[in-house]
Amino acid sequence: MSEGTFNIAEAAKAQKEYCKASGLPHFASSNGACWNCNKNIYQEHPSRNNPSITSGISVEKAKSQLVTGCPHCNRSYCD
């Protein structure tokens, strides 16, 4: 199960600020929607095969790590 706080607006803002402060490119969409699977990367979603396993980018992760792809479909945003 994923840990952290899930909030789309807060996580999107946190990722934008993290990229700006770190001088890194901002790959994630501004609203968090994945163009490949249409799920929001900043929402927690259960695995299809095992509902006790979830994916998603928490506010805490968005504040501290560069988002380079979708945690749900694993599509890269930087190739």
Side-chain angles (χ1 to χ4, degrees):
M1 183 166 257
S2 298
E3 294 183 24
T5 306
F6 288 88
N7 180 296
I8 295 171
E10 286 183 30
K13 181 180 175 188
Q15 180 64 185
K16 183 178 180 180
E17 291 172 356
Y18 173 77
C19 291
K20 185 175 180 178
S22 302
L24 297 169
H26 188 201
F27 295 113
S29 68
S30 60
N31 65 1
C34 175
W35 57 266
N36 189 60
C37 71
N38 297 315
K39 291 181 180 175
N40 196 295
I41 64 174
Y42 301 122
Q43 281 184 319
E44 189 174 31
H45 288 278
S47 167
R48 189 182 323 176
N49 298 329
N50 186 346
S52 66
I53 298 173
T54 61
S55 60
I57 299 170
S58 66
V59 174
E60 295 80 8
K61 187 173 180 179
K63 285 181 182 179
S64 63
Q65 296 178 24
L66 178 63
V67 173
T68 59
C70 179
H72 308 303
C73 69
N74 298 311
R75 179 69 171 121
S76 174
Y77 296 155
C78 55
D79 28 317

